[in-house]
Amino acid sequence: MLEGQDRLRFEESVLPHLDAAFNLARWLVRSRADAEDVTQEALLRAYRFFGTYRAGDARAWLLQIVRNCSYTWLQKNRPMEDISELSEASMPQERSTPESLALASHNRELLSRALDELPAAFREVLVLRELEGCSYKEIAAITARPIGTVMSGLARARQQLRTALTKTAQKEVGRGV
Amino acid sequence: MACEQPKTHLHAYLDGELDAPGMAAFEQHLETCADCAAALAAGEALRRSLEQAELYERAPESLRRKVRVATAPAPARTSAHPGAWRWLAVAAALVIAILWGSRSFFPTIKSPQQAAWTTTLLDAHLRSLQPGHLTDVESTDQHTVKPWFDGKVDIAPPVRDFSADGFPLLGGRLDVIEGRTVAALVYGRRKHIVNVFVWKSQDLVPYADSGERQGYHWAFWKKDGFRFCAVSDTSLPDLQQLKTLFLQQ
């Protein structure tokens, strides 16, 4: 149990990042209901171990915990989920298809589905960068990866997302939608 | 001609993560490389799409509430007389032991309904300890608190100040428990807060008298068609004393 000053510090520095925590959990476990459980668990852990947090970026500290809780949850509840680490594989050649992308791009449903279909490691760098607005350095701290891996992971994640969107868009066109 | 630039440069540029010389060099490269210019445009389009799709998922209110309750402050446990506290703890432990003992001889009927109520009442108690949640009407005067409830709940709960007996009235509040509006009377007990929940009930289920969970105690009783439940982190004998005061009114 936290007392006095520590409690206040927890309230002021950690609780404001509840949305960020929930957003990351939602995109990692891919369900709002499960994300609620995971986020609650993460917040309780943060509360319990607040003594180990000294100073610095409270959001990054909390998101680290959320990330750990999310992967633990995935291992337990979604054993088939691909949670492999980002590898340093060579990057495929970028091929841009702006026309077909434009077809799919304004559809929240399509984007959300395409993002959900990426492997977890790609999802998390994209969510942290594009939705949460984290810097490379922050993403590196949260995901415990070297900055170089974050950078190449992000490049590949974007490419995969674009490919997925293009495919969906082409399917839609094919069906005459 | 294939572009020799590492693709990561493109993304670092897009993310504003290159240093000033790196930015300048990449911009110069963009002027001559159609591949990179097209890839950058595609990258920017993707970013705009993600922005416009508003994919950010905010925490639901239910989660916010749960987290607030779970990290609620434990009411002050400090005391100028640690020795006295130890004795009180021993006394409380004895009382609990005796209650547990007697329970096995005279088992009380505990309904699932009561278990649900007890849980909700404990939650309501924790919630009330959040800043600004304790009282809707703040007064130590029973003649102020009692009329405040008129028209707000379909009952006129008995409101008494027990300052003389060590339970000063601090105010009142409305709570919704299991879909029912319930009056909550707030009392102080040394440095502890006691919530006495009051509601009208015709149900004949005998409520088990008292219990403890995670350091919080509760005591049920009934009088004149009202159900009462006192909840606090103060000791069980304290709650029993408050119960006696209510019953003697």
Side-chain angles (χ1 to χ4, degrees):
Chain A
M1 268 298 191
L2 298 174
E3 308 265 340
Q5 281 301 102
D6 274 347
R7 252 205 64 76
L8 207 65
R9 229 160 52 88
F10 181 83
E11 249 172 47
E12 285 172 357
S13 57
V14 177
L15 286 190
H17 303 298
L18 186 62
D19 279 332
F22 180 76
N23 184 54
L24 179 62
R26 151 64 187 86
W27 287 105
L28 280 177
V29 303
R30 301 194 285 194
S31 134
R32 281 183 68 89
D34 295 329
E36 229 181 297
D37 294 343
V38 170
T39 312
Q40 192 183 359
E41 166 68 23
L43 260 295
L44 285 183
R45 253 192 237 187
Y47 184 69
R48 226 173 294 141
F49 299 121
F50 190 58
T52 65
Y53 165 79
R54 279 288 147 247
D57 190 347
R59 181 178 67 168
W61 181 75
L62 177 63
L63 291 182
Q64 266 174 31
I65 301 174
V66 171
R67 181 176 178 269
N68 288 339
C69 288
S70 301
Y71 279 112
T72 307
W73 187 92
L74 284 175
Q75 270 165 355
K76 209 168 127 200
N77 298 283
R78 301 279 181 276
M80 300 304 283
E81 171 102 22
D82 175 12
I83 52 171
S84 54
E85 192 34 64
L86 287 175
S87 62
E88 289 288 358
S90 66
M91 228 181 308
Q93 192 60 41
E94 300 236 359
R95 214 173 295 136
S96 56
T97 48
E99 323 79 46
S100 44
L101 180 63
L103 284 171
S105 62
H106 297 303
N107 192 324
R108 182 183 194 276
E109 170 67 27
L110 286 184
L111 261 172
S112 157
R113 211 187 315 147
L115 191 53
D116 268 343
E117 279 165 14
L118 295 185
F122 286 162
R123 237 166 25 233
E124 78 181 351
V125 285
L126 271 177
V127 165
L128 289 173
R129 172 64 223 169
E130 301 291 358
L131 303 187
E132 200 50 53
C134 292
S135 68
Y136 286 3
K137 204 173 141 199
E138 286 170 318
I139 301 175
I142 293 165
T143 61
R145 295 186 183 117
I147 284 195
T149 313
V150 169
M151 223 189 267
S152 63
L154 197 50
R156 286 196 293 143
R158 280 174 174 148
Q159 162 129 38
Q160 281 216 8
L161 181 62
R162 202 174 303 133
T163 310
L165 281 171
T166 310
K167 269 192 207 139
T168 323
Q170 278 160 353
K171 257 185 258 164
E172 304 277 293
V173 170
R175 278 190 286 152
V177 176
Chain B
M1 190 185 80
C3 171
E4 297 294 318
Q5 283 274 335
K7 283 295 171 233
T8 45
H9 278 202
L10 177 83
H11 291 271
Y13 178 79
L14 184 65
D15 292 322
E17 295 264 354
L18 288 178
D19 55 9
M23 290 283 251
F26 191 78
E27 273 166 13
Q28 205 173 9
H29 168 74
L30 272 180
E31 283 171 18
T32 58
C33 179
D35 276 359
C36 279
L40 183 67
E44 280 167 348
L46 182 68
R47 162 161 301 165
R48 265 197 309 280
S49 303
L50 284 167
E51 261 167 31
Q52 283 164 1
E54 294 176 354
L55 296 171
Y56 201 96
E57 303 254 7
R58 277 171 216 294
E61 200 40 50
S62 52
L63 173 64
R64 222 170 279 281
R65 224 167 21 236
K66 271 188 261 177
V67 168
R68 247 183 260 131
V69 169
T71 59
R77 289 163 196 275
T78 49
S79 166
H81 307 287
W85 267 108
R86 210 161 296 147
W87 281 112
L88 211 60
V90 171
L94 268 173
V95 168
I96 290 166
I98 291 164
L99 283 171
W100 271 110
S102 64
R103 194 165 296 167
S104 55
F105 282 103
F106 310 102
T108 38
I109 302 163
K110 264 192 158 186
S111 63
Q113 188 192 357
Q114 190 204 342
W117 267 78
T118 309
T119 305
T120 324
L121 288 168
L122 281 175
D123 283 350
H125 174 73
L126 288 174
R127 206 159 49 235
S128 75
L129 303 175
Q130 291 293 308
H133 285 74
L134 190 57
T135 53
D136 292 331
V137 53
E138 192 177 322
S139 172
T140 54
D141 182 358
Q142 63 199 48
H143 302 295
T144 307
V145 177
K146 188 171 170 55
W148 182 85
F149 282 108
D150 288 346
K152 294 194 179 66
V153 270
D154 51 353
I155 55 163
V159 182
R160 276 292 179 82
D161 178 29
F162 297 115
S163 287
D165 303 285
F167 292 93
L169 178 68
L170 302 179
R173 184 180 78 248
L174 287 182
D175 263 337
V176 177
I177 307 289
E178 300 278 288
R180 202 184 305 189
T181 309
V182 164
L185 307 176
V186 185
Y187 289 92
R189 177 59 173 173
R190 294 184 207 98
K191 285 183 172 177
H192 303 266
I193 296 290
V194 184
N195 271 293
V196 178
F197 299 94
V198 190
W199 67 102
K200 200 118 189 167
S201 175
Q202 305 299 329
D203 51 13
L204 298 170
V205 185
Y207 278 46
D209 45 2
S210 56
E212 187 267 347
R213 190 185 299 164
Q214 290 168 342
Y216 292 90
H217 299 108
W218 72 82
F220 279 99
W221 68 91
K222 57 178 179 173
K223 192 193 180 197
D224 304 333
F226 289 108
R227 296 280 185 183
F228 298 80
C229 182
V231 184
S232 178
D233 67 331
T234 191
S235 69
L236 208 46
D238 276 357
L239 294 187
Q240 302 289 8
Q241 190 189 338
L242 184 60
K243 171 180 168 177
T244 310
L245 290 168
F246 264 91
L247 291 173
Q248 283 170 351
Q249 271 185 72

PDB file of all heavy atoms in Angstrom, chain A residues 97-128:
ATOM      1  N   THR A  97       1.703   1.995 -53.824  1.00  0.00           N
ATOM      2  CA  THR A  97       0.531   1.927 -54.700  1.00  0.00           C
ATOM      3  C   THR A  97      -0.480   2.930 -54.182  1.00  0.00           C
ATOM      4  O   THR A  97      -1.469   2.540 -53.569  1.00  0.00           O
ATOM      5  CB  THR A  97      -0.082   0.520 -54.703  1.00  0.00           C
ATOM      6  OG1 THR A  97      -0.203   0.104 -53.342  1.00  0.00           O
ATOM      7  CG2 THR A  97       0.755  -0.461 -55.461  1.00  0.00           C
ATOM      8  N   PRO A  98      -0.208   4.198 -54.388  1.00  0.00           N
ATOM      9  CA  PRO A  98      -1.031   5.245 -53.767  1.00  0.00           C
ATOM     10  C   PRO A  98      -2.495   5.180 -54.193  1.00  0.00           C
ATOM     11  O   PRO A  98      -3.368   5.478 -53.389  1.00  0.00           O
ATOM     12  CB  PRO A  98      -0.393   6.544 -54.262  1.00  0.00           C
ATOM     13  CG  PRO A  98       0.950   6.159 -54.810  1.00  0.00           C
ATOM     14  CD  PRO A  98       0.857   4.744 -55.233  1.00  0.00           C
ATOM     15  N   GLU A  99      -2.792   4.755 -55.419  1.00  0.00           N
ATOM     16  CA  GLU A  99      -4.193   4.785 -55.873  1.00  0.00           C
ATOM     17  C   GLU A  99      -5.051   3.816 -55.069  1.00  0.00           C
ATOM     18  O   GLU A  99      -6.086   4.185 -54.518  1.00  0.00           O
ATOM     19  CB  GLU A  99      -4.320   4.408 -57.358  1.00  0.00           C
ATOM     20  CG  GLU A  99      -3.224   4.902 -58.276  1.00  0.00           C
ATOM     21  CD  GLU A  99      -1.973   4.048 -58.167  1.00  0.00           C
ATOM     22  OE1 GLU A  99      -2.064   2.818 -58.176  1.00  0.00           O
ATOM     23  OE2 GLU A  99      -0.890   4.651 -58.036  1.00  0.00           O
ATOM     24  N   SER A 100      -4.573   2.560 -54.980  1.00  0.00           N
ATOM     25  CA  SER A 100      -5.370   1.576 -54.268  1.00  0.00           C
ATOM     26  C   SER A 100      -5.397   1.877 -52.766  1.00  0.00           C
ATOM     27  O   SER A 100      -6.379   1.607 -52.094  1.00  0.00           O
ATOM     28  CB  SER A 100      -4.814   0.176 -54.509  1.00  0.00           C
ATOM     29  OG  SER A 100      -3.423   0.182 -54.394  1.00  0.00           O
ATOM     30  N   LEU A 101      -4.295   2.450 -52.278  1.00  0.00           N
ATOM     31  CA  LEU A 101      -4.257   2.798 -50.862  1.00  0.00           C
ATOM     32  C   LEU A 101      -5.362   3.800 -50.543  1.00  0.00           C
ATOM     33  O   LEU A 101      -6.052   3.697 -49.551  1.00  0.00           O
ATOM     34  CB  LEU A 101      -2.887   3.377 -50.495  1.00  0.00           C
ATOM     35  CG  LEU A 101      -2.730   3.765 -49.045  1.00  0.00           C
ATOM     36  CD1 LEU A 101      -2.863   2.536 -48.158  1.00  0.00           C
ATOM     37  CD2 LEU A 101      -1.404   4.430 -48.797  1.00  0.00           C
ATOM     38  N   ALA A 102      -5.523   4.761 -51.456  1.00  0.00           N
ATOM     39  CA  ALA A 102      -6.521   5.809 -51.234  1.00  0.00           C
ATOM     40  C   ALA A 102      -7.913   5.211 -51.086  1.00  0.00           C
ATOM     41  O   ALA A 102      -8.723   5.695 -50.311  1.00  0.00           O
ATOM     42  CB  ALA A 102      -6.496   6.802 -52.381  1.00  0.00           C
ATOM     43  N   LEU A 103      -8.161   4.107 -51.764  1.00  0.00           N
ATOM     44  CA  LEU A 103      -9.471   3.476 -51.681  1.00  0.00           C
ATOM     45  C   LEU A 103      -9.779   2.995 -50.271  1.00  0.00           C
ATOM     46  O   LEU A 103     -10.885   3.133 -49.772  1.00  0.00           O
ATOM     47  CB  LEU A 103      -9.529   2.273 -52.633  1.00  0.00           C
ATOM     48  CG  LEU A 103      -9.675   2.582 -54.113  1.00  0.00           C
ATOM     49  CD1 LEU A 103      -9.499   1.300 -54.910  1.00  0.00           C
ATOM     50  CD2 LEU A 103     -11.053   3.188 -54.374  1.00  0.00           C
ATOM     51  N   ALA A 104      -8.748   2.417 -49.658  1.00  0.00           N
ATOM     52  CA  ALA A 104      -8.978   1.794 -48.364  1.00  0.00           C
ATOM     53  C   ALA A 104      -8.781   2.751 -47.201  1.00  0.00           C
ATOM     54  O   ALA A 104      -9.271   2.513 -46.112  1.00  0.00           O
ATOM     55  CB  ALA A 104      -8.035   0.609 -48.207  1.00  0.00           C
ATOM     56  N   SER A 105      -8.079   3.833 -47.471  1.00  0.00           N
ATOM     57  CA  SER A 105      -7.511   4.589 -46.357  1.00  0.00           C
ATOM     58  C   SER A 105      -8.523   5.273 -45.452  1.00  0.00           C
ATOM     59  O   SER A 105      -8.247   5.506 -44.298  1.00  0.00           O
ATOM     60  CB  SER A 105      -6.538   5.613 -46.910  1.00  0.00           C
ATOM     61  OG  SER A 105      -7.264   6.496 -47.732  1.00  0.00           O
ATOM     62  N   HIS A 106      -9.704   5.614 -45.970  1.00  0.00           N
ATOM     63  CA  HIS A 106     -10.593   6.385 -45.110  1.00  0.00           C
ATOM     64  C   HIS A 106     -11.583   5.510 -44.366  1.00  0.00           C
ATOM     65  O   HIS A 106     -12.532   5.993 -43.778  1.00  0.00           O
ATOM     66  CB  HIS A 106     -11.309   7.457 -45.928  1.00  0.00           C
ATOM     67  CG  HIS A 106     -10.346   8.443 -46.496  1.00  0.00           C
ATOM     68  ND1 HIS A 106      -9.487   9.165 -45.698  1.00  0.00           N
ATOM     69  CD2 HIS A 106     -10.044   8.772 -47.759  1.00  0.00           C
ATOM     70  CE1 HIS A 106      -8.713   9.915 -46.457  1.00  0.00           C
ATOM     71  NE2 HIS A 106      -9.019   9.695 -47.714  1.00  0.00           N
ATOM     72  N   ASN A 107     -11.337   4.240 -44.431  1.00  0.00           N
ATOM     73  CA  ASN A 107     -12.260   3.335 -43.787  1.00  0.00           C
ATOM     74  C   ASN A 107     -11.667   2.842 -42.474  1.00  0.00           C
ATOM     75  O   ASN A 107     -10.720   2.058 -42.447  1.00  0.00           O
ATOM     76  CB  ASN A 107     -12.519   2.163 -44.729  1.00  0.00           C
ATOM     77  CG  ASN A 107     -13.672   1.322 -44.266  1.00  0.00           C
ATOM     78  OD1 ASN A 107     -13.855   1.148 -43.060  1.00  0.00           O
ATOM     79  ND2 ASN A 107     -14.426   0.798 -45.201  1.00  0.00           N
ATOM     80  N   ARG A 108     -12.233   3.288 -41.377  1.00  0.00           N
ATOM     81  CA  ARG A 108     -11.702   2.941 -40.070  1.00  0.00           C
ATOM     82  C   ARG A 108     -11.698   1.438 -39.858  1.00  0.00           C
ATOM     83  O   ARG A 108     -10.744   0.857 -39.360  1.00  0.00           O
ATOM     84  CB  ARG A 108     -12.546   3.603 -38.981  1.00  0.00           C
ATOM     85  CG  ARG A 108     -12.019   3.328 -37.595  1.00  0.00           C
ATOM     86  CD  ARG A 108     -12.889   3.907 -36.501  1.00  0.00           C
ATOM     87  NE  ARG A 108     -12.154   3.888 -35.237  1.00  0.00           N
ATOM     88  CZ  ARG A 108     -12.077   2.845 -34.444  1.00  0.00           C
ATOM     89  NH1 ARG A 108     -12.688   1.723 -34.775  1.00  0.00           N
ATOM     90  NH2 ARG A 108     -11.391   2.896 -33.325  1.00  0.00           N
ATOM     91  N   GLU A 109     -12.811   0.844 -40.283  1.00  0.00           N
ATOM     92  CA  GLU A 109     -12.988  -0.589 -40.130  1.00  0.00           C
ATOM     93  C   GLU A 109     -11.858  -1.366 -40.833  1.00  0.00           C
ATOM     94  O   GLU A 109     -11.244  -2.263 -40.251  1.00  0.00           O
ATOM     95  CB  GLU A 109     -14.365  -0.944 -40.732  1.00  0.00           C
ATOM     96  CG  GLU A 109     -14.672  -2.410 -40.890  1.00  0.00           C
ATOM     97  CD  GLU A 109     -14.821  -3.112 -39.563  1.00  0.00           C
ATOM     98  OE1 GLU A 109     -15.186  -2.424 -38.584  1.00  0.00           O
ATOM     99  OE2 GLU A 109     -14.565  -4.329 -39.508  1.00  0.00           O
ATOM    100  N   LEU A 110     -11.561  -0.970 -42.082  1.00  0.00           N
ATOM    101  CA  LEU A 110     -10.523  -1.654 -42.848  1.00  0.00           C
ATOM    102  C   LEU A 110      -9.149  -1.464 -42.211  1.00  0.00           C
ATOM    103  O   LEU A 110      -8.381  -2.412 -42.078  1.00  0.00           O
ATOM    104  CB  LEU A 110     -10.489  -1.116 -44.285  1.00  0.00           C
ATOM    105  CG  LEU A 110     -11.621  -1.543 -45.213  1.00  0.00           C
ATOM    106  CD1 LEU A 110     -11.373  -0.991 -46.608  1.00  0.00           C
ATOM    107  CD2 LEU A 110     -11.725  -3.059 -45.257  1.00  0.00           C
ATOM    108  N   LEU A 111      -8.859  -0.233 -41.813  1.00  0.00           N
ATOM    109  CA  LEU A 111      -7.562   0.060 -41.212  1.00  0.00           C
ATOM    110  C   LEU A 111      -7.376  -0.717 -39.922  1.00  0.00           C
ATOM    111  O   LEU A 111      -6.324  -1.275 -39.654  1.00  0.00           O
ATOM    112  CB  LEU A 111      -7.468   1.554 -40.909  1.00  0.00           C
ATOM    113  CG  LEU A 111      -6.700   2.371 -41.932  1.00  0.00           C
ATOM    114  CD1 LEU A 111      -6.835   3.842 -41.634  1.00  0.00           C
ATOM    115  CD2 LEU A 111      -5.222   1.982 -41.892  1.00  0.00           C
ATOM    116  N   SER A 112      -8.443  -0.722 -39.142  1.00  0.00           N
ATOM    117  CA  SER A 112      -8.389  -1.390 -37.854  1.00  0.00           C
ATOM    118  C   SER A 112      -8.176  -2.888 -38.051  1.00  0.00           C
ATOM    119  O   SER A 112      -7.394  -3.527 -37.332  1.00  0.00           O
ATOM    120  CB  SER A 112      -9.681  -1.066 -37.101  1.00  0.00           C
ATOM    121  OG  SER A 112      -9.941  -2.014 -36.145  1.00  0.00           O
ATOM    122  N   ARG A 113      -8.840  -3.464 -39.052  1.00  0.00           N
ATOM    123  CA  ARG A 113      -8.687  -4.889 -39.303  1.00  0.00           C
ATOM    124  C   ARG A 113      -7.273  -5.197 -39.803  1.00  0.00           C
ATOM    125  O   ARG A 113      -6.637  -6.150 -39.369  1.00  0.00           O
ATOM    126  CB  ARG A 113      -9.730  -5.362 -40.325  1.00  0.00           C
ATOM    127  CG  ARG A 113     -10.142  -6.813 -40.097  1.00  0.00           C
ATOM    128  CD  ARG A 113     -11.042  -7.332 -41.192  1.00  0.00           C
ATOM    129  NE  ARG A 113     -12.096  -6.383 -41.555  1.00  0.00           N
ATOM    130  CZ  ARG A 113     -12.578  -6.268 -42.785  1.00  0.00           C
ATOM    131  NH1 ARG A 113     -12.098  -6.999 -43.767  1.00  0.00           N
ATOM    132  NH2 ARG A 113     -13.546  -5.413 -43.048  1.00  0.00           N
ATOM    133  N   ALA A 114      -6.788  -4.338 -40.715  1.00  0.00           N
ATOM    134  CA  ALA A 114      -5.442  -4.546 -41.263  1.00  0.00           C
ATOM    135  C   ALA A 114      -4.398  -4.481 -40.149  1.00  0.00           C
ATOM    136  O   ALA A 114      -3.462  -5.289 -40.090  1.00  0.00           O
ATOM    137  CB  ALA A 114      -5.154  -3.497 -42.329  1.00  0.00           C
ATOM    138  N   LEU A 115      -4.571  -3.539 -39.247  1.00  0.00           N
ATOM    139  CA  LEU A 115      -3.630  -3.384 -38.132  1.00  0.00           C
ATOM    140  C   LEU A 115      -3.703  -4.606 -37.209  1.00  0.00           C
ATOM    141  O   LEU A 115      -2.687  -5.135 -36.755  1.00  0.00           O
ATOM    142  CB  LEU A 115      -3.976  -2.102 -37.368  1.00  0.00           C
ATOM    143  CG  LEU A 115      -2.997  -1.582 -36.328  1.00  0.00           C
ATOM    144  CD1 LEU A 115      -1.598  -1.439 -36.904  1.00  0.00           C
ATOM    145  CD2 LEU A 115      -3.471  -0.248 -35.771  1.00  0.00           C
ATOM    146  N   ASP A 116      -4.926  -5.053 -36.947  1.00  0.00           N
ATOM    147  CA  ASP A 116      -5.120  -6.225 -36.084  1.00  0.00           C
ATOM    148  C   ASP A 116      -4.469  -7.485 -36.653  1.00  0.00           C
ATOM    149  O   ASP A 116      -4.137  -8.402 -35.916  1.00  0.00           O
ATOM    150  CB  ASP A 116      -6.622  -6.485 -35.874  1.00  0.00           C
ATOM    151  CG  ASP A 116      -7.145  -5.790 -34.620  1.00  0.00           C
ATOM    152  OD1 ASP A 116      -6.305  -5.411 -33.781  1.00  0.00           O
ATOM    153  OD2 ASP A 116      -8.364  -5.630 -34.487  1.00  0.00           O
ATOM    154  N   GLU A 117      -4.332  -7.511 -37.986  1.00  0.00           N
ATOM    155  CA  GLU A 117      -3.800  -8.720 -38.606  1.00  0.00           C
ATOM    156  C   GLU A 117      -2.278  -8.764 -38.650  1.00  0.00           C
ATOM    157  O   GLU A 117      -1.686  -9.799 -38.956  1.00  0.00           O
ATOM    158  CB  GLU A 117      -4.388  -8.887 -40.018  1.00  0.00           C
ATOM    159  CG  GLU A 117      -5.777  -9.512 -39.955  1.00  0.00           C
ATOM    160  CD  GLU A 117      -6.550  -9.376 -41.256  1.00  0.00           C
ATOM    161  OE1 GLU A 117      -5.942  -9.037 -42.277  1.00  0.00           O
ATOM    162  OE2 GLU A 117      -7.772  -9.611 -41.216  1.00  0.00           O
ATOM    163  N   LEU A 118      -1.633  -7.665 -38.315  1.00  0.00           N
ATOM    164  CA  LEU A 118      -0.163  -7.667 -38.286  1.00  0.00           C
ATOM    165  C   LEU A 118       0.323  -8.468 -37.083  1.00  0.00           C
ATOM    166  O   LEU A 118      -0.377  -8.584 -36.086  1.00  0.00           O
ATOM    167  CB  LEU A 118       0.369  -6.231 -38.155  1.00  0.00           C
ATOM    168  CG  LEU A 118       0.117  -5.263 -39.301  1.00  0.00           C
ATOM    169  CD1 LEU A 118       0.833  -3.951 -39.003  1.00  0.00           C
ATOM    170  CD2 LEU A 118       0.598  -5.827 -40.618  1.00  0.00           C
ATOM    171  N   PRO A 119       1.550  -9.021 -37.166  1.00  0.00           N
ATOM    172  CA  PRO A 119       2.114  -9.672 -35.984  1.00  0.00           C
ATOM    173  C   PRO A 119       2.251  -8.654 -34.840  1.00  0.00           C
ATOM    174  O   PRO A 119       2.426  -7.460 -35.091  1.00  0.00           O
ATOM    175  CB  PRO A 119       3.505 -10.124 -36.461  1.00  0.00           C
ATOM    176  CG  PRO A 119       3.424 -10.142 -37.949  1.00  0.00           C
ATOM    177  CD  PRO A 119       2.415  -9.117 -38.340  1.00  0.00           C
ATOM    178  N   ALA A 120       2.153  -9.147 -33.614  1.00  0.00           N
ATOM    179  CA  ALA A 120       2.119  -8.270 -32.437  1.00  0.00           C
ATOM    180  C   ALA A 120       3.287  -7.283 -32.395  1.00  0.00           C
ATOM    181  O   ALA A 120       3.110  -6.115 -32.060  1.00  0.00           O
ATOM    182  CB  ALA A 120       2.088  -9.120 -31.173  1.00  0.00           C
ATOM    183  N   ALA A 121       4.484  -7.755 -32.763  1.00  0.00           N
ATOM    184  CA  ALA A 121       5.666  -6.894 -32.670  1.00  0.00           C
ATOM    185  C   ALA A 121       5.546  -5.691 -33.607  1.00  0.00           C
ATOM    186  O   ALA A 121       5.991  -4.584 -33.272  1.00  0.00           O
ATOM    187  CB  ALA A 121       6.926  -7.688 -32.999  1.00  0.00           C
ATOM    188  N   PHE A 122       4.920  -5.884 -34.753  1.00  0.00           N
ATOM    189  CA  PHE A 122       4.723  -4.781 -35.691  1.00  0.00           C
ATOM    190  C   PHE A 122       3.613  -3.863 -35.205  1.00  0.00           C
ATOM    191  O   PHE A 122       3.687  -2.651 -35.312  1.00  0.00           O
ATOM    192  CB  PHE A 122       4.357  -5.320 -37.083  1.00  0.00           C
ATOM    193  CG  PHE A 122       5.526  -5.918 -37.810  1.00  0.00           C
ATOM    194  CD1 PHE A 122       5.344  -6.758 -38.885  1.00  0.00           C
ATOM    195  CD2 PHE A 122       6.827  -5.621 -37.407  1.00  0.00           C
ATOM    196  CE1 PHE A 122       6.426  -7.303 -39.560  1.00  0.00           C
ATOM    197  CE2 PHE A 122       7.919  -6.153 -38.080  1.00  0.00           C
ATOM    198  CZ  PHE A 122       7.718  -7.008 -39.147  1.00  0.00           C
ATOM    199  N   ARG A 123       2.560  -4.507 -34.684  1.00  0.00           N
ATOM    200  CA  ARG A 123       1.437  -3.732 -34.168  1.00  0.00           C
ATOM    201  C   ARG A 123       1.898  -2.770 -33.094  1.00  0.00           C
ATOM    202  O   ARG A 123       1.531  -1.610 -33.080  1.00  0.00           O
ATOM    203  CB  ARG A 123       0.420  -4.695 -33.573  1.00  0.00           C
ATOM    204  CG  ARG A 123      -0.911  -4.566 -34.189  1.00  0.00           C
ATOM    205  CD  ARG A 123      -1.865  -5.665 -33.895  1.00  0.00           C
ATOM    206  NE  ARG A 123      -1.723  -6.439 -32.709  1.00  0.00           N
ATOM    207  CZ  ARG A 123      -1.669  -7.768 -32.688  1.00  0.00           C
ATOM    208  NH1 ARG A 123      -1.708  -8.436 -33.809  1.00  0.00           N
ATOM    209  NH2 ARG A 123      -1.560  -8.418 -31.558  1.00  0.00           N
ATOM    210  N   GLU A 124       2.733  -3.281 -32.203  1.00  0.00           N
ATOM    211  CA  GLU A 124       3.080  -2.420 -31.073  1.00  0.00           C
ATOM    212  C   GLU A 124       3.942  -1.235 -31.481  1.00  0.00           C
ATOM    213  O   GLU A 124       3.735  -0.134 -30.989  1.00  0.00           O
ATOM    214  CB  GLU A 124       3.709  -3.214 -29.918  1.00  0.00           C
ATOM    215  CG  GLU A 124       5.149  -3.582 -30.112  1.00  0.00           C
ATOM    216  CD  GLU A 124       5.670  -4.389 -28.938  1.00  0.00           C
ATOM    217  OE1 GLU A 124       4.967  -4.511 -27.942  1.00  0.00           O
ATOM    218  OE2 GLU A 124       6.797  -4.882 -29.053  1.00  0.00           O
ATOM    219  N   VAL A 125       4.899  -1.431 -32.413  1.00  0.00           N
ATOM    220  CA  VAL A 125       5.704  -0.262 -32.804  1.00  0.00           C
ATOM    221  C   VAL A 125       4.836   0.760 -33.545  1.00  0.00           C
ATOM    222  O   VAL A 125       4.981   1.974 -33.341  1.00  0.00           O
ATOM    223  CB  VAL A 125       6.948  -0.617 -33.659  1.00  0.00           C
ATOM    224  CG1 VAL A 125       8.029  -1.223 -32.784  1.00  0.00           C
ATOM    225  CG2 VAL A 125       6.628  -1.510 -34.828  1.00  0.00           C
ATOM    226  N   LEU A 126       3.904   0.265 -34.369  1.00  0.00           N
ATOM    227  CA  LEU A 126       3.025   1.196 -35.092  1.00  0.00           C
ATOM    228  C   LEU A 126       2.117   1.962 -34.135  1.00  0.00           C
ATOM    229  O   LEU A 126       1.942   3.172 -34.270  1.00  0.00           O
ATOM    230  CB  LEU A 126       2.163   0.424 -36.091  1.00  0.00           C
ATOM    231  CG  LEU A 126       2.760   0.239 -37.483  1.00  0.00           C
ATOM    232  CD1 LEU A 126       1.838  -0.605 -38.338  1.00  0.00           C
ATOM    233  CD2 LEU A 126       3.006   1.587 -38.146  1.00  0.00           C
ATOM    234  N   VAL A 127       1.543   1.243 -33.170  1.00  0.00           N
ATOM    235  CA  VAL A 127       0.635   1.890 -32.221  1.00  0.00           C
ATOM    236  C   VAL A 127       1.395   2.915 -31.385  1.00  0.00           C
ATOM    237  O   VAL A 127       0.918   4.029 -31.173  1.00  0.00           O
ATOM    238  CB  VAL A 127      -0.047   0.829 -31.324  1.00  0.00           C
ATOM    239  CG1 VAL A 127      -0.701   1.475 -30.119  1.00  0.00           C
ATOM    240  CG2 VAL A 127      -1.077   0.053 -32.136  1.00  0.00           C
ATOM    241  N   LEU A 128       2.593   2.539 -30.939  1.00  0.00           N
ATOM    242  CA  LEU A 128       3.366   3.460 -30.110  1.00  0.00           C
ATOM    243  C   LEU A 128       3.777   4.692 -30.905  1.00  0.00           C
ATOM    244  O   LEU A 128       3.746   5.806 -30.398  1.00  0.00           O
ATOM    245  CB  LEU A 128       4.600   2.757 -29.532  1.00  0.00           C
ATOM    246  CG  LEU A 128       4.292   1.720 -28.446  1.00  0.00           C
ATOM    247  CD1 LEU A 128       5.548   0.954 -28.056  1.00  0.00           C
ATOM    248  CD2 LEU A 128       3.685   2.384 -27.205  1.00  0.00           C
TER     249      LEU A 128
END
